[in-house]
Amino acid sequence: MCGIAGIMTLKEGARQEPDAIVRMTESISHRGPDHQGFFVEDGLQLGHRRLSILDLSAAGNQPMESACGRYVIIHNGEIYNFREVRQQLTDHDFTTHTDTEVILAAYAKWGRACLEKFNGMFAFAIWDKQERVLFIARDRLGIKPLYYHADGNRLVFASEVRSLLASGQVPRKLSMASLAEYLRYQTVHAPSTLLQDVHMLMPGHCLMADRNGVRTEAWWTLTYRPVSDSPEQVRKRVKELFYRAVERRLVSDVPFGAFLSGGIDSSAVVGAMSEVSTQPVSTFSVVFREEAYSEREFAAMVAKRFHAKHHEILLEAKDFLHALPDALGAMDHPSGDGPNTYVVSKVTRAAGITMALSGLGGDELFAGYPIFKRMHRLHQYRWLFGLPAPLKRMLMLAGGKGIQQQKIRQILQLPAYDFDAIYALNRQVLLDRQIASLLASEHPQNRLVRQEDSVPVLSQVSRAEITTYMQNVLLRDADQMSMAHALEVRVPFLDHELVEYVYSLGDDMKYPATPKKLLTDSLAGLLPDEIVNRPKMGFVLPWEVWMRNELKDFCRERIGLLQENTCWRPDALTGLWDDFLQGNPSVTWSRIWPLVALSDWIQKLDIDV
């Protein structure tokens, strides 16, 4: 796990600034404290910060040149099956034990086709000195980030937005269209970002740059291929793929651990680790005095069952308030989440752990969120949308004033069943009328997902969750918050072989009659019944309590800073904040916190609004 940065001039005579790549690389020093390296030649500058995980010797430093001298690589991530790929490269004389050298040799032999052989998380750039072509690729599920800016004169790319800005060659201008999307979904979906003319390379895509310009294309896409296995074969295969995914992610030359919430996903990861690892697992859990939010009892139960070296992180409001400026400072691209990962990553790294496994992705794959049942039910009762208008109005009058009830009423107003529109409404944070009241100008909503009629509805929801909330909130936050402490986080549930198999199963196999039934049935006997049968509890901080008390002044100040920008309607911001403080059920903490995070980000990165 590392940080990469680069600048390539696309036109003859385009200005080059020698110090730009140094600034870019130093701005992401937190991602790689073990080594800093550069490669510079006419028209190209590459920078790298290394966090040593495999082959800790200096031989693994980057930028790394191929044995033939033709190719140069900078790489962020891990190729878990690099030893298997290495065995296919018998004509290459390896000089290191790194996965980076395997990527170089594989690209030299197979070109772009090498990507299909890799199992891992990665964002890397390879410079072909002979053809003068830059090749950049991102992993299938978008676990590792890659941002870029191309203006016709040059291409600037990096692992973080702040690195692009440090180049001095990327405008710091807020995108108003992206701002509206951020308010809707607490994030901006790739390839867009909150900055004008700054893009994110899409998951499963590659980018090629030369004197003819910059182009991107997909090299992988999640495809539904119906599975004909029997239920018993499915459960056996899921278990096999899951255990293989965990085992692959334990390849490391540094101490490792696991995040443990006490939920099904993280508990399954810890259980599998304990069976395939030759050493006790170190586990880390955030706990609270507010019992309604604390999973201490369940995490401790799992740790005891698997003989883990368990670490509890007691987090109180005063401690969090003290750490909050640094947590927000680590937020390279704002979202409505993140600080919880910052806290657990900080303590994990302080305990001497350099790599940790996470249960992220289990909910998206095994129908763990309420939205799966909700969308399945709406699909079954889609005839409701054809009811006469008076009957639909009667249904819309039922229910309370909370945000979910308001969304249901909006869904019933649709003229027909529309998976895309219904899913988008379910995932919205602020409703369109709230956004219109906040912003001084209107911005139309883009299509969030596309319905696939030939794909079962639960798989459609999985794909939607993976390509929206997971990739653009959870994975982005996991990367920026863990790498703020130079901690590598690995996610076995996002092993592409496991994802492809489970995605292609029918609804009859995946329906969560009990929480994540397919996963728990496949791992029968691994987890205590108390973990399997407990109600789902998301890993969230006690925001609702803290933001009305200890964090109240902090939040009010940042809402006030937003009001100074002409794109907002100040009275509407004040009204939204007051509604939250007064307990308006349609304005929960998750409607306010994204505004606080956005305001802090704008100030820290000096964004032009």
Side-chain angles (χ1 to χ4, degrees), residues 262-296:
I264 289 173
D265 301 332
S266 64
S267 300
V269 169
V270 170
M273 288 175 72
S274 72
E275 293 189 7
V276 302
S277 176
T278 58
Q279 55 184 288
V281 180
S282 294
T283 53
F284 298 84
S285 301
V286 173
V287 299
F288 309 104
R289 293 199 188 280
E290 295 87 351
E291 289 299 322
Y293 299 91
S294 187
E295 299 181 274
R296 169 184 278 167

Side-chain angles (χ1 to χ4, degrees), residues 494-510:
L494 298 187
D495 184 284
H496 76 271
E497 294 177 4
L498 177 63
V499 170
E500 289 171 337
Y501 183 77
V502 176
Y503 174 72
S504 295
L505 296 173
D507 285 356
D508 56 331
M509 287 301 308
K510 284 192 295 195

